[in-house]
């Protein structure tokens, strides 16, 4: 069953063509990484899956909903989304559990009494990402890595069918990155489809099954990760000669 399908997608902004002839099909049971250099069009693809951008031509179908013919607000209820721009909209003085609880309704902040069952659910989500100990602290007291994990817990409140992560490890140190990636890898056991955008190959944890390699708005290659993550294809995409080594189902590169 197809979960996400982009067909013949082109996207232009002014005189600039950002995406061209994008074909992408994500099936149930798969977890994808959209990989490529900065400015290659990765985030634009995510914005289209979320229905925040529409192709200049071509079609986008998500969870069997053809965009342009459906109420996108209803579709988005089944999509969890983690991005730096969303994190910046949240209120730093709110307690962490309350920030997570806003995900139940898609709010940025509560201005009403929060049902006890929603608070309990938020605390359970924090336990799942190993942050129960900060549940009552203000969001602003947390490190960048902890805030990203709060966003992860928030995105799980509605039990989404799709979880989209836009460069979630950006700005994190090595320890915080590995802590967040462990939580992401654990999500591979849940009944959802992950789409993860990055330009760092070492963030591809074992849970991910497929790669879409983007170069200048085109899909250079896509498919099972061991087939796409070759030295030749990575050289073409990043214009840097590399070797690749797999350790415990996780790829690591070395520049030649």
């Amino acid at each position: 069953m197809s979960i996400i399908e982009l067909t013949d997608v082109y996207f232009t902004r002014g005189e600039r063509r950002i995406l061209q002839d994008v074909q992408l099909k994500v099936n149930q049971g798969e977890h994808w990484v959209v990989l490529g250099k900065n400015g290659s069009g990765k985030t634009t693809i995510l914005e289209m899956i979320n229905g925040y951008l529409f192709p200049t031509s071509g079609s986008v179908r998500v969870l069997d909903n053809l965009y342009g013919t459906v109420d996108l607000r209803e579709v988005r209820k089944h999509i969890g989304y983690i991005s730096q721009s969303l994190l910046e909209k949240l209120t730093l003085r709110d307690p962490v559990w309350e920030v997570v609880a806003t995900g139940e309704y898609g709010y940025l902040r509560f201005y009403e009494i929060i049902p006890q069952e929603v608070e309990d659910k938020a605390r359970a989500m924090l336990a799942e990402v190993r942050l129960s100990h900060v549940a009552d602290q203000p969001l602003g007291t947390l490190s960048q890595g902890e805030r990203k994990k709060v966003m992860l817990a928030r995105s799980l409140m509605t039990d989404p069918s799709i979880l989209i992560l836009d460069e979630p490890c950006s700005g994190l140190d090595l320890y915080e990155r590995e802590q967040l990636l462990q939580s992401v890898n654990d999500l591979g056991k849940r009944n959802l489809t992950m789409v993860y955008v990055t330009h760092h190959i070492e963030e591809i944890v074992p849970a991910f099954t497929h790669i879409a390699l983007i170069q200048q708005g085109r899909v250079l290659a896509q498919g099972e990760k061991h087939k796409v993550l070759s030295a030749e294809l990575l050289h073409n995409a990043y214009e840097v000669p590399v070797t690749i080594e797999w350790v415990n189902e996780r790829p690591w590169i070395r520049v030649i």
Side-chain angles (χ1 to χ4, degrees), residues 70-192:
V70 295
D71 185 345
L72 287 172
R73 293 170 299 181
E74 293 300 313
V75 180
R76 290 192 196 113
K77 290 178 181 178
H78 304 283
I79 301 175
Y81 188 37
I82 299 173
S83 69
Q84 183 62 32
S85 61
L86 179 57
L87 177 58
E88 290 168 356
K89 291 181 174 70
L90 299 173
T91 305
L92 295 180
R93 63 179 178 272
D94 286 345
V96 167
W97 73 262
E98 191 171 311
V99 172
V100 172
T102 63
E104 181 77 8
Y105 307 101
Y107 298 163
L108 292 176
R109 197 174 191 211
F110 281 106
Y111 297 94
E112 58 196 54
I113 296 174
I114 305 169
Q116 185 61 49
E117 62 270 20
V118 175
E119 177 179 345
D120 293 344
K121 186 177 178 182
R123 291 181 182 276
M125 291 299 103
L126 283 167
E128 189 163 332
V129 297
R130 305 176 183 87
L131 280 183
S132 292
H133 59 289
V134 299
D136 295 297
Q137 294 182 25
L139 179 65
T141 65
L142 272 58
S143 70
Q144 284 298 316
E146 289 170 332
R147 293 181 196 185
K148 296 289 181 72
K149 291 174 78 173
V150 168
M151 291 294 292
L152 188 59
R154 181 183 183 275
S155 71
L156 297 174
M157 283 293 291
T158 58
D159 194 22
S161 299
I162 299 171
L163 179 61
I164 295 177
L165 305 99
D166 189 6
E167 299 191 20
C169 292
S170 176
L172 302 186
D173 63 29
L174 180 60
Y175 173 79
E176 289 186 323
R177 185 192 75 178
E178 292 303 308
Q179 290 291 304
L180 181 60
L181 288 175
Q182 182 179 351
S183 294
V184 170
N185 194 59
D186 290 343
L187 292 177
K189 306 180 184 75
R190 295 178 68 108
N191 184 28
L192 54 72

Side-chain angles (χ1 to χ4, degrees), residues 17-64:
R17 178 169 284 178
I18 297 172
L19 296 178
Q20 45 191 329
D21 194 26
V22 171
Q23 321 284 340
L24 181 65
K25 186 175 182 180
V26 176
N27 294 314
Q28 191 167 14
E30 298 173 350
H31 300 300
W32 282 70
V33 173
V34 181
L35 185 68
K37 288 167 44 175
N38 285 333
S40 60
K42 304 184 304 296
T43 296
T44 302
I45 290 173
L46 291 195
E47 295 284 287
M48 287 192 176
I49 295 171
N50 273 297
Y52 296 130
L53 288 176
F54 292 89
T56 305
S57 62
S59 65
V60 178
R61 185 180 291 273
V62 176
L63 298 172
D64 206 28

